[in-house]
Amino acid sequence: MKDKKQQLDILNADMSQCSDCVLRMQCSRVVPGEGNAEAEIMFIGEAPGQKEDETGHPFVGAAGKFLNEMLASINLKREDVYIANVVKCRPPQNRDPLPEEVSACWPWLLEQIKIIQPKLIVTLGRHSMERFLEGQKISRIHGTLVIKTIAGIGRQNFYTLYHPAAALYNGSMREILIKDFNRIPKIIEKIKSEG
Ligand code: URA
């Protein structure tokens, strides 16, 4: 039986060959995601931007630097968690991914989640949240633990945050994001204590 890292390595290598939507024709490379295959926490953003497209790593631009700082503030490193996106290829000019692009990429993300089996999925931004928690408003549910059964995954804990890129230059949103982020250790504790 292959361990989680081996399974993820195979999945992410397959993903790098994907051409199921038009995005792959316009981006430089697939950005599958990276981190600890045994992670308790999985962060899921929207889609790679320019820096991510250039390097093949998720969240390495300004938003990524901010994410790293927030992780450090709760004594976590990138290597402790898993970081991925709903869409694995950069949309041209960073436009919002189209519904058909999100749908084409969805099975890859589901497989990643099934392998990692995180205790908590932290969605970064509205688009990531909407994919799992359809019909919700980020302004209402940010910073709260939501438990939902998702087809293909099962019962899963979700925690919604504002996107670090959106909060970076918006003082009040930044404050809210940092406050919500700092609650992650307590949320994990609560999930563990409830078994
Ligand atoms: N924004 C995202 O949503 N994902 C990245 O990887 C980088 C920026």
Side-chain angles (χ1 to χ4, degrees), residues 12 15 24 29 44-45 48-49 53 63 74 99-100 103 115-116 133-134 149 163 169 172 181 186 194:
N12 290 353
M15 199 183 301
R24 182 66 189 94
R29 70 201 83 237
I44 303 180
D53 184 63
I74 57 168
E100 60 266 31
S103 299
I115 293 170
I116 298 167
L133 308 173
E134 207 188 345
T149 299
H163 197 291
Y169 305 110
S172 56
F181 206 101
K186 280 244 154 19
E194 287 170 4

mmCIF file of all heavy atoms in Angstrom, residues 12 15 24 29 44-45 48-49 53 63 74 99-100 103 115-116 133-134 149 163 169 172 181 186 194:
data_model
loop_
_atom_site.group_PDB
_atom_site.id
_atom_site.type_symbol
_atom_site.label_atom_id
_atom_site.label_comp_id
_atom_site.label_asym_id
_atom_site.label_seq_id
_atom_site.Cartn_x
_atom_site.Cartn_y
_atom_site.Cartn_z
ATOM 1 N N ASN A 12 -0.235 14.195 -8.409
ATOM 2 C CA ASN A 12 0.199 15.515 -8.872
ATOM 3 C C ASN A 12 0.991 15.420 -10.179
ATOM 4 O O ASN A 12 0.944 16.333 -11.012
ATOM 5 C CB ASN A 12 1.016 16.223 -7.781
ATOM 6 C CG ASN A 12 0.129 16.644 -6.601
ATOM 7 O OD1 ASN A 12 -1.094 16.522 -6.670
ATOM 8 N ND2 ASN A 12 0.738 17.120 -5.531
ATOM 9 N N MET A 15 -1.633 15.102 -12.764
ATOM 10 C CA MET A 15 -2.276 16.406 -12.910
ATOM 11 C C MET A 15 -1.461 17.316 -13.831
ATOM 12 O O MET A 15 -2.012 18.087 -14.613
ATOM 13 C CB MET A 15 -2.370 17.038 -11.511
ATOM 14 C CG MET A 15 -3.356 18.137 -11.358
ATOM 15 S SD MET A 15 -3.264 18.812 -9.692
ATOM 16 C CE MET A 15 -3.603 17.427 -8.649
ATOM 17 N N ARG A 24 -4.858 25.280 -19.652
ATOM 18 C CA ARG A 24 -3.513 24.684 -19.779
ATOM 19 C C ARG A 24 -2.778 25.187 -21.026
ATOM 20 O O ARG A 24 -1.557 25.218 -21.065
ATOM 21 C CB ARG A 24 -3.634 23.138 -19.791
ATOM 22 C CG ARG A 24 -2.298 22.419 -19.866
ATOM 23 C CD ARG A 24 -1.475 22.668 -18.599
ATOM 24 N NE ARG A 24 -0.117 22.189 -18.709
ATOM 25 C CZ ARG A 24 0.912 22.938 -19.091
ATOM 26 N NH1 ARG A 24 0.721 24.203 -19.434
ATOM 27 N NH2 ARG A 24 2.123 22.432 -19.126
ATOM 28 N N ARG A 29 2.652 26.347 -16.646
ATOM 29 C CA ARG A 29 2.709 25.010 -16.037
ATOM 30 C C ARG A 29 1.525 24.824 -15.091
ATOM 31 O O ARG A 29 0.915 25.810 -14.667
ATOM 32 C CB ARG A 29 4.024 24.831 -15.272
ATOM 33 C CG ARG A 29 4.147 25.653 -14.014
ATOM 34 C CD ARG A 29 5.588 25.847 -13.586
ATOM 35 N NE ARG A 29 6.196 26.954 -14.314
ATOM 36 C CZ ARG A 29 7.299 26.852 -15.062
ATOM 37 N NH1 ARG A 29 7.939 25.715 -15.162
ATOM 38 N NH2 ARG A 29 7.778 27.917 -15.694
ATOM 39 N N ILE A 44 -6.922 26.085 0.844
ATOM 40 C CA ILE A 44 -7.309 26.034 -0.567
ATOM 41 C C ILE A 44 -7.660 27.436 -1.071
ATOM 42 O O ILE A 44 -8.615 28.063 -0.597
ATOM 43 C CB ILE A 44 -8.496 25.070 -0.790
ATOM 44 C CG1 ILE A 44 -8.118 23.665 -0.277
ATOM 45 C CG2 ILE A 44 -8.864 25.010 -2.281
ATOM 46 C CD1 ILE A 44 -9.197 22.611 -0.430
ATOM 47 N N GLY A 45 -6.838 27.922 -1.996
ATOM 48 C CA GLY A 45 -7.069 29.238 -2.602
ATOM 49 C C GLY A 45 -7.825 29.093 -3.908
ATOM 50 O O GLY A 45 -8.442 28.054 -4.181
ATOM 51 N N PRO A 48 -3.657 29.794 -9.398
ATOM 52 C CA PRO A 48 -2.305 30.366 -9.418
ATOM 53 C C PRO A 48 -2.306 31.757 -10.066
ATOM 54 O O PRO A 48 -3.096 32.017 -10.968
ATOM 55 C CB PRO A 48 -1.505 29.386 -10.290
ATOM 56 C CG PRO A 48 -2.347 28.159 -10.419
ATOM 57 C CD PRO A 48 -3.767 28.581 -10.215
ATOM 58 N N GLY A 49 -1.433 32.622 -9.585
ATOM 59 C CA GLY A 49 -1.195 33.916 -10.222
ATOM 60 C C GLY A 49 0.108 33.840 -11.017
ATOM 61 O O GLY A 49 0.614 32.742 -11.294
ATOM 62 N N ASP A 53 2.596 30.665 -11.447
ATOM 63 C CA ASP A 53 2.719 30.116 -12.807
ATOM 64 C C ASP A 53 4.196 30.022 -13.218
ATOM 65 O O ASP A 53 4.611 29.088 -13.890
ATOM 66 C CB ASP A 53 1.952 31.028 -13.768
ATOM 67 C CG ASP A 53 1.935 30.507 -15.188
ATOM 68 O OD1 ASP A 53 1.378 29.415 -15.406
ATOM 69 O OD2 ASP A 53 2.490 31.176 -16.077
ATOM 70 N N ALA A 63 0.673 37.579 -1.702
ATOM 71 C CA ALA A 63 -0.329 36.920 -0.854
ATOM 72 C C ALA A 63 0.304 35.729 -0.123
ATOM 73 O O ALA A 63 -0.018 35.457 1.039
ATOM 74 C CB ALA A 63 -1.515 36.455 -1.698
ATOM 75 N N ILE A 74 1.141 31.367 14.126
ATOM 76 C CA ILE A 74 0.518 30.291 14.914
ATOM 77 C C ILE A 74 1.459 29.074 14.971
ATOM 78 O O ILE A 74 1.021 27.928 15.119
ATOM 79 C CB ILE A 74 -0.900 29.903 14.404
ATOM 80 C CG1 ILE A 74 -0.891 29.483 12.930
ATOM 81 C CG2 ILE A 74 -1.883 31.044 14.613
ATOM 82 C CD1 ILE A 74 -2.203 28.818 12.481
ATOM 83 N N PRO A 99 -16.845 28.733 -14.781
ATOM 84 C CA PRO A 99 -17.428 27.534 -14.143
ATOM 85 C C PRO A 99 -16.935 26.238 -14.769
ATOM 86 O O PRO A 99 -16.671 25.256 -14.067
ATOM 87 C CB PRO A 99 -18.928 27.722 -14.358
ATOM 88 C CG PRO A 99 -19.110 29.194 -14.527
ATOM 89 C CD PRO A 99 -17.863 29.728 -15.145
ATOM 90 N N GLU A 100 -16.793 26.207 -16.103
ATOM 91 C CA GLU A 100 -16.356 24.951 -16.747
ATOM 92 C C GLU A 100 -14.897 24.635 -16.408
ATOM 93 O O GLU A 100 -14.496 23.468 -16.381
ATOM 94 C CB GLU A 100 -16.595 24.966 -18.261
ATOM 95 C CG GLU A 100 -15.883 26.051 -19.027
ATOM 96 C CD GLU A 100 -16.753 27.296 -19.233
ATOM 97 O OE1 GLU A 100 -17.596 27.590 -18.365
ATOM 98 O OE2 GLU A 100 -16.570 27.976 -20.268
ATOM 99 N N SER A 103 -15.030 23.217 -12.899
ATOM 100 C CA SER A 103 -15.566 21.844 -12.953
ATOM 101 C C SER A 103 -14.524 20.872 -13.484
ATOM 102 O O SER A 103 -14.420 19.744 -12.988
ATOM 103 C CB SER A 103 -16.794 21.770 -13.855
ATOM 104 O OG SER A 103 -17.780 22.595 -13.351
ATOM 105 N N ILE A 115 -6.913 11.861 -0.433
ATOM 106 C CA ILE A 115 -5.633 11.276 0.000
ATOM 107 C C ILE A 115 -5.208 11.887 1.347
ATOM 108 O O ILE A 115 -4.871 11.177 2.293
ATOM 109 C CB ILE A 115 -4.523 11.512 -1.059
ATOM 110 C CG1 ILE A 115 -4.839 10.722 -2.334
ATOM 111 C CG2 ILE A 115 -3.151 11.136 -0.504
ATOM 112 C CD1 ILE A 115 -3.952 11.049 -3.526
ATOM 113 N N ILE A 116 -5.235 13.202 1.425
ATOM 114 C CA ILE A 116 -4.713 13.888 2.620
ATOM 115 C C ILE A 116 -5.643 13.679 3.821
ATOM 116 O O ILE A 116 -5.182 13.532 4.955
ATOM 117 C CB ILE A 116 -4.525 15.405 2.329
ATOM 118 C CG1 ILE A 116 -3.487 15.582 1.215
ATOM 119 C CG2 ILE A 116 -4.084 16.167 3.576
ATOM 120 C CD1 ILE A 116 -3.428 16.978 0.615
ATOM 121 N N LEU A 133 -19.116 25.540 -0.070
ATOM 122 C CA LEU A 133 -20.239 25.990 0.749
ATOM 123 C C LEU A 133 -21.129 26.919 -0.066
ATOM 124 O O LEU A 133 -21.252 28.111 0.211
ATOM 125 C CB LEU A 133 -19.715 26.696 2.010
ATOM 126 C CG LEU A 133 -18.684 25.913 2.826
ATOM 127 C CD1 LEU A 133 -18.117 26.776 3.950
ATOM 128 C CD2 LEU A 133 -19.278 24.628 3.392
ATOM 129 N N GLU A 134 -21.710 26.323 -1.096
ATOM 130 C CA GLU A 134 -22.519 27.065 -2.053
ATOM 131 C C GLU A 134 -23.631 27.852 -1.354
ATOM 132 O O GLU A 134 -24.269 27.341 -0.423
ATOM 133 C CB GLU A 134 -23.143 26.030 -2.990
ATOM 134 C CG GLU A 134 -23.467 26.550 -4.345
ATOM 135 C CD GLU A 134 -24.249 25.500 -5.120
ATOM 136 O OE1 GLU A 134 -24.269 24.323 -4.716
ATOM 137 O OE2 GLU A 134 -24.857 25.897 -6.128
ATOM 138 N N THR A 149 -21.241 17.738 4.559
ATOM 139 C CA THR A 149 -20.947 16.512 3.809
ATOM 140 C C THR A 149 -20.880 16.860 2.329
ATOM 141 O O THR A 149 -21.799 17.464 1.780
ATOM 142 C CB THR A 149 -22.047 15.455 4.059
ATOM 143 O OG1 THR A 149 -22.045 15.171 5.467
ATOM 144 C CG2 THR A 149 -21.760 14.169 3.291
ATOM 145 N N HIS A 163 -9.471 36.198 1.510
ATOM 146 C CA HIS A 163 -8.266 35.879 0.742
ATOM 147 C C HIS A 163 -7.124 36.833 1.148
ATOM 148 O O HIS A 163 -7.329 38.046 1.223
ATOM 149 C CB HIS A 163 -8.550 36.030 -0.760
ATOM 150 C CG HIS A 163 -7.531 35.352 -1.606
ATOM 151 N ND1 HIS A 163 -6.238 35.800 -1.710
ATOM 152 C CD2 HIS A 163 -7.596 34.223 -2.347
ATOM 153 C CE1 HIS A 163 -5.557 34.989 -2.505
ATOM 154 N NE2 HIS A 163 -6.365 34.019 -2.908
ATOM 155 N N TYR A 169 -4.063 44.879 1.327
ATOM 156 C CA TYR A 169 -4.038 46.346 1.309
ATOM 157 C C TYR A 169 -5.353 46.945 1.799
ATOM 158 O O TYR A 169 -5.681 48.074 1.481
ATOM 159 C CB TYR A 169 -3.710 46.842 -0.107
ATOM 160 C CG TYR A 169 -2.427 46.240 -0.625
ATOM 161 C CD1 TYR A 169 -2.432 45.305 -1.647
ATOM 162 C CD2 TYR A 169 -1.198 46.592 -0.050
ATOM 163 C CE1 TYR A 169 -1.250 44.725 -2.098
ATOM 164 C CE2 TYR A 169 -0.016 46.019 -0.492
ATOM 165 C CZ TYR A 169 -0.046 45.082 -1.516
ATOM 166 O OH TYR A 169 1.118 44.522 -1.954
ATOM 167 N N SER A 172 -9.091 47.018 7.324
ATOM 168 C CA SER A 172 -10.065 46.361 8.210
ATOM 169 C C SER A 172 -10.178 44.880 7.877
ATOM 170 O O SER A 172 -10.286 44.030 8.769
ATOM 171 C CB SER A 172 -11.424 47.053 8.135
ATOM 172 O OG SER A 172 -11.864 47.090 6.806
ATOM 173 N N PHE A 181 -7.481 33.977 11.499
ATOM 174 C CA PHE A 181 -6.358 33.029 11.327
ATOM 175 C C PHE A 181 -5.853 32.558 12.689
ATOM 176 O O PHE A 181 -5.583 31.374 12.904
ATOM 177 C CB PHE A 181 -5.226 33.715 10.546
ATOM 178 C CG PHE A 181 -4.354 32.750 9.800
ATOM 179 C CD1 PHE A 181 -4.518 32.551 8.434
ATOM 180 C CD2 PHE A 181 -3.359 32.030 10.449
ATOM 181 C CE1 PHE A 181 -3.728 31.647 7.741
ATOM 182 C CE2 PHE A 181 -2.567 31.127 9.758
ATOM 183 C CZ PHE A 181 -2.748 30.938 8.406
ATOM 184 N N LYS A 186 -7.220 26.861 18.000
ATOM 185 C CA LYS A 186 -8.377 26.550 18.867
ATOM 186 C C LYS A 186 -9.400 25.700 18.108
ATOM 187 O O LYS A 186 -10.007 24.784 18.671
ATOM 188 C CB LYS A 186 -9.074 27.856 19.315
ATOM 189 C CG LYS A 186 -8.406 28.565 20.452
ATOM 190 C CD LYS A 186 -9.329 28.580 21.678
ATOM 191 C CE LYS A 186 -8.663 28.692 23.018
ATOM 192 N NZ LYS A 186 -7.328 29.165 23.128
ATOM 193 N N GLU A 194 -13.601 16.723 19.909
ATOM 194 C CA GLU A 194 -14.914 16.148 19.607
ATOM 195 C C GLU A 194 -14.799 14.858 18.809
ATOM 196 O O GLU A 194 -15.791 14.273 18.390
ATOM 197 C CB GLU A 194 -15.765 17.179 18.851
ATOM 198 C CG GLU A 194 -16.217 18.279 19.803
ATOM 199 C CD GLU A 194 -16.860 19.457 19.116
ATOM 200 O OE1 GLU A 194 -17.037 19.413 17.885
ATOM 201 O OE2 GLU A 194 -17.171 20.426 19.823
#
